[in-house]
Short mmCIF file of all heavy atoms in Angstrom, two decimals:
data_model
loop_
_atom_site.label_atom_id
_atom_site.label_comp_id
_atom_site.label_asym_id
_atom_site.label_seq_id
_atom_site.Cartn_x
_atom_site.Cartn_y
_atom_site.Cartn_z
N GLY A 158 6.55 -6.96 44.99
CA GLY A 158 6.47 -5.63 44.39
C GLY A 158 5.12 -5.35 43.76
O GLY A 158 4.15 -6.09 43.90
N GLU A 159 5.11 -4.23 43.03
CA GLU A 159 3.91 -3.79 42.33
C GLU A 159 4.34 -3.30 40.95
O GLU A 159 5.29 -2.53 40.84
CB GLU A 159 3.24 -2.68 43.12
CG GLU A 159 1.93 -2.22 42.54
CD GLU A 159 1.28 -1.15 43.40
OE1 GLU A 159 0.52 -1.50 44.32
OE2 GLU A 159 1.56 0.05 43.17
N VAL A 160 3.66 -3.75 39.93
CA VAL A 160 4.07 -3.45 38.55
C VAL A 160 2.92 -2.76 37.83
O VAL A 160 1.77 -3.22 37.89
CB VAL A 160 4.47 -4.74 37.79
CG1 VAL A 160 4.86 -4.41 36.36
CG2 VAL A 160 5.60 -5.45 38.51
N GLU A 161 3.23 -1.66 37.16
CA GLU A 161 2.24 -1.01 36.30
C GLU A 161 2.51 -1.42 34.87
O GLU A 161 3.64 -1.32 34.38
CB GLU A 161 2.30 0.51 36.44
CG GLU A 161 1.20 1.21 35.65
CD GLU A 161 1.19 2.72 35.82
OE1 GLU A 161 2.20 3.26 36.31
OE2 GLU A 161 0.18 3.35 35.45
N ILE A 162 1.46 -1.88 34.20
CA ILE A 162 1.58 -2.41 32.84
C ILE A 162 0.84 -1.50 31.87
O ILE A 162 -0.26 -1.02 32.16
CB ILE A 162 0.99 -3.83 32.76
CG1 ILE A 162 1.75 -4.79 33.67
CG2 ILE A 162 1.01 -4.35 31.32
CD1 ILE A 162 3.19 -5.02 33.26
N LEU A 163 1.45 -1.30 30.71
CA LEU A 163 0.85 -0.52 29.64
C LEU A 163 0.55 -1.45 28.46
O LEU A 163 1.43 -2.18 28.01
CB LEU A 163 1.80 0.59 29.18
CG LEU A 163 1.35 1.48 28.02
CD1 LEU A 163 0.24 2.40 28.47
CD2 LEU A 163 2.53 2.30 27.49
N LEU A 164 -0.70 -1.42 27.97
CA LEU A 164 -1.10 -2.21 26.81
C LEU A 164 -1.41 -1.26 25.66
O LEU A 164 -2.26 -0.37 25.79
CB LEU A 164 -2.34 -3.06 27.12
CG LEU A 164 -2.26 -3.99 28.34
CD1 LEU A 164 -3.59 -4.70 28.53
CD2 LEU A 164 -1.13 -4.99 28.20
N GLU A 165 -0.74 -1.46 24.52
CA GLU A 165 -0.95 -0.61 23.34
C GLU A 165 -1.39 -1.50 22.17
O GLU A 165 -0.64 -2.35 21.72
CB GLU A 165 0.32 0.13 22.96
CG GLU A 165 0.86 1.06 24.02
CD GLU A 165 2.20 1.66 23.62
OE1 GLU A 165 2.21 2.70 22.94
OE2 GLU A 165 3.23 1.05 23.97
N THR A 166 -2.60 -1.26 21.70
CA THR A 166 -3.12 -2.05 20.58
C THR A 166 -2.60 -1.52 19.26
O THR A 166 -2.60 -0.31 19.02
CB THR A 166 -4.66 -2.01 20.57
OG1 THR A 166 -5.15 -2.42 21.85
CG2 THR A 166 -5.22 -2.93 19.50
N VAL A 167 -2.15 -2.43 18.42
CA VAL A 167 -1.66 -2.06 17.08
C VAL A 167 -2.50 -2.79 16.05
O VAL A 167 -2.56 -4.02 16.03
CB VAL A 167 -0.16 -2.44 16.91
CG1 VAL A 167 0.32 -2.06 15.51
CG2 VAL A 167 0.69 -1.76 17.97
N GLN A 168 -3.18 -2.03 15.21
CA GLN A 168 -3.99 -2.60 14.12
C GLN A 168 -3.36 -2.17 12.79
O GLN A 168 -3.69 -1.13 12.25
CB GLN A 168 -5.44 -2.09 14.21
CG GLN A 168 -6.14 -2.41 15.52
CD GLN A 168 -6.64 -3.84 15.58
OE1 GLN A 168 -6.38 -4.63 14.69
NE2 GLN A 168 -7.34 -4.17 16.65
N PRO A 169 -2.43 -2.97 12.27
CA PRO A 169 -1.66 -2.54 11.09
C PRO A 169 -2.41 -2.78 9.78
O PRO A 169 -2.15 -3.76 9.07
CB PRO A 169 -0.41 -3.41 11.19
CG PRO A 169 -0.89 -4.66 11.83
CD PRO A 169 -2.01 -4.28 12.76
N VAL A 170 -3.34 -1.92 9.48
CA VAL A 170 -4.13 -2.10 8.26
C VAL A 170 -3.84 -0.98 7.27
O VAL A 170 -4.00 0.20 7.59
CB VAL A 170 -5.64 -2.12 8.60
CG1 VAL A 170 -6.46 -2.27 7.34
CG2 VAL A 170 -5.94 -3.24 9.59
N ARG A 171 -3.38 -1.34 6.10
CA ARG A 171 -3.21 -0.35 5.04
C ARG A 171 -4.55 -0.09 4.36
O ARG A 171 -5.31 -1.03 4.12
CB ARG A 171 -2.23 -0.87 3.98
CG ARG A 171 -0.78 -0.89 4.39
CD ARG A 171 0.08 -1.25 3.18
NE ARG A 171 1.50 -1.17 3.50
CZ ARG A 171 2.44 -0.88 2.61
NH1 ARG A 171 2.09 -0.64 1.36
NH2 ARG A 171 3.70 -0.82 2.96
N PRO A 172 -4.87 1.15 4.06
CA PRO A 172 -6.08 1.41 3.27
C PRO A 172 -6.00 0.68 1.93
O PRO A 172 -4.92 0.58 1.34
CB PRO A 172 -6.05 2.93 3.07
CG PRO A 172 -5.16 3.46 4.13
CD PRO A 172 -4.14 2.39 4.38
N VAL A 173 -7.12 0.16 1.49
CA VAL A 173 -7.19 -0.55 0.20
C VAL A 173 -7.93 0.32 -0.81
O VAL A 173 -9.04 0.79 -0.53
CB VAL A 173 -7.88 -1.91 0.35
CG1 VAL A 173 -8.03 -2.59 -1.03
CG2 VAL A 173 -7.09 -2.81 1.29
N ILE A 174 -7.31 0.54 -1.95
CA ILE A 174 -7.96 1.26 -3.05
C ILE A 174 -7.86 0.39 -4.29
O ILE A 174 -6.78 -0.06 -4.67
CB ILE A 174 -7.29 2.62 -3.32
CG1 ILE A 174 -7.35 3.50 -2.07
CG2 ILE A 174 -7.97 3.33 -4.49
CD1 ILE A 174 -6.67 4.85 -2.21
N ALA A 175 -9.01 0.14 -4.91
CA ALA A 175 -9.04 -0.69 -6.11
C ALA A 175 -9.39 0.17 -7.33
O ALA A 175 -10.33 0.96 -7.29
CB ALA A 175 -10.07 -1.80 -5.95
N ILE A 176 -8.61 -0.01 -8.38
CA ILE A 176 -8.91 0.64 -9.65
C ILE A 176 -9.40 -0.44 -10.61
O ILE A 176 -8.67 -1.37 -10.94
CB ILE A 176 -7.67 1.34 -10.24
CG1 ILE A 176 -7.17 2.43 -9.29
CG2 ILE A 176 -7.99 1.93 -11.61
CD1 ILE A 176 -5.91 3.13 -9.77
N PHE A 177 -10.65 -0.30 -11.04
CA PHE A 177 -11.22 -1.24 -12.00
C PHE A 177 -11.10 -0.62 -13.39
O PHE A 177 -11.81 0.33 -13.72
CB PHE A 177 -12.69 -1.52 -11.65
CG PHE A 177 -12.87 -2.31 -10.40
CD1 PHE A 177 -12.95 -1.68 -9.17
CD2 PHE A 177 -12.96 -3.69 -10.44
CE1 PHE A 177 -13.12 -2.40 -8.00
CE2 PHE A 177 -13.13 -4.44 -9.28
CZ PHE A 177 -13.21 -3.78 -8.06
N GLY A 178 -10.17 -1.16 -14.17
CA GLY A 178 -9.88 -0.61 -15.49
C GLY A 178 -8.57 0.16 -15.45
O GLY A 178 -8.50 1.26 -14.92
N VAL A 179 -7.52 -0.45 -16.04
CA VAL A 179 -6.19 0.16 -15.97
C VAL A 179 -5.78 0.62 -17.36
O VAL A 179 -4.72 0.28 -17.88
CB VAL A 179 -5.17 -0.82 -15.37
CG1 VAL A 179 -3.89 -0.08 -14.97
CG2 VAL A 179 -5.74 -1.52 -14.13
N GLY A 180 -6.68 1.38 -18.00
CA GLY A 180 -6.34 2.01 -19.27
C GLY A 180 -5.47 3.24 -19.02
O GLY A 180 -4.80 3.33 -18.00
N HIS A 181 -5.47 4.21 -19.95
CA HIS A 181 -4.56 5.34 -19.79
C HIS A 181 -4.92 6.20 -18.58
O HIS A 181 -4.04 6.70 -17.88
CB HIS A 181 -4.52 6.18 -21.08
CG HIS A 181 -5.82 6.80 -21.45
ND1 HIS A 181 -6.85 6.08 -22.03
CD2 HIS A 181 -6.28 8.07 -21.33
CE1 HIS A 181 -7.88 6.88 -22.26
NE2 HIS A 181 -7.57 8.10 -21.84
N VAL A 182 -6.22 6.34 -18.28
CA VAL A 182 -6.62 7.12 -17.10
C VAL A 182 -6.33 6.33 -15.82
O VAL A 182 -5.77 6.86 -14.85
CB VAL A 182 -8.11 7.50 -17.17
CG1 VAL A 182 -8.51 8.27 -15.92
CG2 VAL A 182 -8.39 8.33 -18.42
N GLY A 183 -6.70 5.05 -15.82
CA GLY A 183 -6.45 4.21 -14.65
C GLY A 183 -4.99 4.10 -14.31
O GLY A 183 -4.61 4.17 -13.13
N LEU A 184 -4.15 3.95 -15.32
CA LEU A 184 -2.71 3.83 -15.09
C LEU A 184 -2.13 5.14 -14.55
O LEU A 184 -1.29 5.14 -13.65
CB LEU A 184 -2.00 3.43 -16.37
CG LEU A 184 -0.48 3.23 -16.26
CD1 LEU A 184 -0.14 2.14 -15.25
CD2 LEU A 184 0.13 2.91 -17.63
N ALA A 185 -2.57 6.27 -15.10
CA ALA A 185 -2.09 7.56 -14.62
C ALA A 185 -2.44 7.76 -13.14
O ALA A 185 -1.63 8.24 -12.34
CB ALA A 185 -2.68 8.69 -15.46
N LEU A 186 -3.65 7.36 -12.78
CA LEU A 186 -4.07 7.47 -11.39
C LEU A 186 -3.29 6.50 -10.50
O LEU A 186 -2.89 6.84 -9.38
CB LEU A 186 -5.57 7.18 -11.28
CG LEU A 186 -6.20 7.33 -9.90
CD1 LEU A 186 -5.96 8.73 -9.33
CD2 LEU A 186 -7.69 7.03 -9.97
N ALA A 187 -3.03 5.30 -11.01
CA ALA A 187 -2.27 4.30 -10.25
C ALA A 187 -0.86 4.81 -9.94
O ALA A 187 -0.32 4.55 -8.86
CB ALA A 187 -2.21 2.99 -11.02
N LYS A 188 -0.25 5.54 -10.88
CA LYS A 188 1.10 6.06 -10.65
C LYS A 188 1.12 7.06 -9.50
O LYS A 188 2.11 7.16 -8.77
CB LYS A 188 1.62 6.71 -11.94
CG LYS A 188 1.95 5.70 -13.03
CD LYS A 188 2.39 6.40 -14.31
CE LYS A 188 2.71 5.39 -15.40
NZ LYS A 188 3.08 6.04 -16.68
N ILE A 189 0.03 7.81 -9.33
CA ILE A 189 -0.05 8.75 -8.21
C ILE A 189 -0.32 8.01 -6.91
O ILE A 189 0.36 8.22 -5.90
CB ILE A 189 -1.16 9.79 -8.47
CG1 ILE A 189 -0.81 10.64 -9.70
CG2 ILE A 189 -1.36 10.68 -7.24
CD1 ILE A 189 -1.94 11.53 -10.16
N LEU A 190 -1.29 7.11 -6.92
CA LEU A 190 -1.66 6.39 -5.70
C LEU A 190 -0.54 5.48 -5.20
O LEU A 190 -0.42 5.24 -4.00
CB LEU A 190 -2.93 5.56 -5.95
CG LEU A 190 -4.21 6.36 -6.16
CD1 LEU A 190 -5.37 5.43 -6.52
CD2 LEU A 190 -4.56 7.17 -4.92
N ALA A 191 0.29 5.00 -6.12
CA ALA A 191 1.39 4.11 -5.72
C ALA A 191 2.42 4.81 -4.84
O ALA A 191 3.23 4.15 -4.18
CB ALA A 191 2.06 3.52 -6.96
N LEU A 192 2.40 6.14 -4.81
CA LEU A 192 3.33 6.88 -3.96
C LEU A 192 3.00 6.75 -2.48
O LEU A 192 3.85 7.02 -1.63
CB LEU A 192 3.33 8.37 -4.35
CG LEU A 192 3.73 8.71 -5.79
CD1 LEU A 192 3.48 10.19 -6.06
CD2 LEU A 192 5.18 8.35 -6.04
N PHE A 193 1.77 6.32 -2.17
CA PHE A 193 1.31 6.29 -0.79
C PHE A 193 1.35 4.87 -0.23
O PHE A 193 1.33 3.89 -0.97
CB PHE A 193 -0.12 6.84 -0.71
CG PHE A 193 -0.22 8.26 -1.17
CD1 PHE A 193 -0.56 8.55 -2.49
CD2 PHE A 193 0.04 9.31 -0.32
CE1 PHE A 193 -0.64 9.86 -2.94
CE2 PHE A 193 -0.04 10.62 -0.75
CZ PHE A 193 -0.38 10.90 -2.06
N GLU A 194 1.40 4.77 1.10
CA GLU A 194 1.46 3.47 1.75
C GLU A 194 0.05 2.88 1.85
O GLU A 194 -0.59 2.91 2.90
CB GLU A 194 2.11 3.60 3.13
CG GLU A 194 3.59 3.92 3.04
CD GLU A 194 4.29 3.82 4.37
OE1 GLU A 194 3.61 3.64 5.40
OE2 GLU A 194 5.52 3.92 4.40
N ILE A 195 -0.41 2.38 0.74
CA ILE A 195 -1.74 1.76 0.65
C ILE A 195 -1.57 0.39 0.01
O ILE A 195 -0.49 0.01 -0.44
CB ILE A 195 -2.70 2.61 -0.21
CG1 ILE A 195 -2.18 2.70 -1.66
CG2 ILE A 195 -2.89 4.00 0.39
CD1 ILE A 195 -3.16 3.32 -2.64
N GLU A 196 -2.67 -0.35 -0.02
CA GLU A 196 -2.73 -1.57 -0.81
C GLU A 196 -3.53 -1.24 -2.06
O GLU A 196 -4.70 -0.88 -1.98
CB GLU A 196 -3.39 -2.70 -0.01
CG GLU A 196 -3.30 -4.05 -0.70
CD GLU A 196 -3.71 -5.19 0.20
OE1 GLU A 196 -3.15 -5.31 1.31
OE2 GLU A 196 -4.62 -5.94 -0.20
N LEU A 197 -2.88 -1.31 -3.19
CA LEU A 197 -3.48 -0.87 -4.45
C LEU A 197 -3.83 -2.08 -5.30
O LEU A 197 -2.95 -2.82 -5.74
CB LEU A 197 -2.49 0.04 -5.20
CG LEU A 197 -2.93 0.62 -6.54
CD1 LEU A 197 -4.18 1.47 -6.39
CD2 LEU A 197 -1.80 1.44 -7.16
N TRP A 198 -5.13 -2.27 -5.53
CA TRP A 198 -5.60 -3.37 -6.38
C TRP A 198 -5.82 -2.84 -7.79
O TRP A 198 -6.54 -1.86 -7.99
CB TRP A 198 -6.92 -3.93 -5.85
CG TRP A 198 -6.82 -4.67 -4.55
CD1 TRP A 198 -5.94 -4.45 -3.54
CD2 TRP A 198 -7.66 -5.75 -4.12
NE1 TRP A 198 -6.17 -5.31 -2.49
CE2 TRP A 198 -7.22 -6.11 -2.82
CE3 TRP A 198 -8.74 -6.42 -4.69
CZ2 TRP A 198 -7.84 -7.14 -2.10
CZ3 TRP A 198 -9.36 -7.44 -3.97
CH2 TRP A 198 -8.90 -7.80 -2.69
N LEU A 199 -5.21 -3.47 -8.77
CA LEU A 199 -5.39 -3.11 -10.17
C LEU A 199 -6.13 -4.26 -10.86
O LEU A 199 -5.64 -5.39 -10.92
CB LEU A 199 -4.02 -2.89 -10.83
CG LEU A 199 -3.15 -1.81 -10.17
CD1 LEU A 199 -1.81 -1.70 -10.89
CD2 LEU A 199 -3.85 -0.46 -10.14
N VAL A 200 -7.32 -3.94 -11.37
CA VAL A 200 -8.21 -4.98 -11.88
C VAL A 200 -8.60 -4.66 -13.32
O VAL A 200 -9.06 -3.56 -13.61
CB VAL A 200 -9.49 -5.06 -11.01
CG1 VAL A 200 -10.29 -6.31 -11.36
CG2 VAL A 200 -9.16 -5.03 -9.52
N ASP A 201 -8.42 -5.64 -14.20
CA ASP A 201 -8.79 -5.42 -15.60
C ASP A 201 -9.07 -6.76 -16.26
O ASP A 201 -8.46 -7.78 -15.91
CB ASP A 201 -7.67 -4.69 -16.35
CG ASP A 201 -8.20 -3.88 -17.53
OD1 ASP A 201 -8.81 -4.47 -18.44
OD2 ASP A 201 -8.02 -2.64 -17.54
N SER A 202 -10.00 -6.76 -17.20
CA SER A 202 -10.32 -7.99 -17.93
C SER A 202 -9.38 -8.18 -19.12
O SER A 202 -9.40 -9.24 -19.76
CB SER A 202 -11.77 -7.95 -18.42
OG SER A 202 -11.98 -6.81 -19.25
N ARG A 203 -8.55 -7.19 -19.42
CA ARG A 203 -7.64 -7.26 -20.57
C ARG A 203 -6.22 -7.51 -20.09
O ARG A 203 -5.61 -6.65 -19.44
CB ARG A 203 -7.69 -5.94 -21.34
CG ARG A 203 -9.09 -5.56 -21.84
CD ARG A 203 -9.16 -4.09 -22.24
NE ARG A 203 -8.98 -3.21 -21.07
CZ ARG A 203 -8.85 -1.88 -21.14
NH1 ARG A 203 -8.89 -1.28 -22.32
NH2 ARG A 203 -8.70 -1.17 -20.04
N PRO A 204 -5.65 -8.65 -20.38
CA PRO A 204 -4.30 -8.96 -19.88
C PRO A 204 -3.23 -7.99 -20.36
O PRO A 204 -2.25 -7.74 -19.65
CB PRO A 204 -4.04 -10.39 -20.42
CG PRO A 204 -5.04 -10.60 -21.50
CD PRO A 204 -6.22 -9.77 -21.16
#
C-alpha cells in the first residue's frame, strides 16, 4: 500500500513572567497574572 503521514510539532512552553519584589504592588500584580496560563516567578529577598 501507500500511506500518507502527518507530522505535527508540539512545543509546550508556557510564557515566563518574573516579578522581582512581592510587596503590595508586586502581590497585586501577581494576583492578576496568576489568572493566566503562565509560569509566574515570584522573587524577593524578604522571606
Side-chain angles (χ1 to χ4, degrees):
E159 184 178 271
V160 179
E161 185 177 15
I162 298 294
L163 178 71
L164 306 178
E165 299 175 87
T166 306
V167 180
Q168 301 282 5
V170 178
R171 287 188 175 209
V173 176
I174 301 178
I176 299 178
F177 291 87
V179 195
H181 62 283
V182 178
L184 181 60
L186 183 56
K188 289 177 180 177
I189 296 170
L190 291 175
L192 300 172
F193 300 93
E194 291 190 353
I195 63 171
E196 189 169 305
L197 181 60
W198 291 31
L199 303 178
V200 191
D201 207 300
S202 59
R203 303 164 294 173

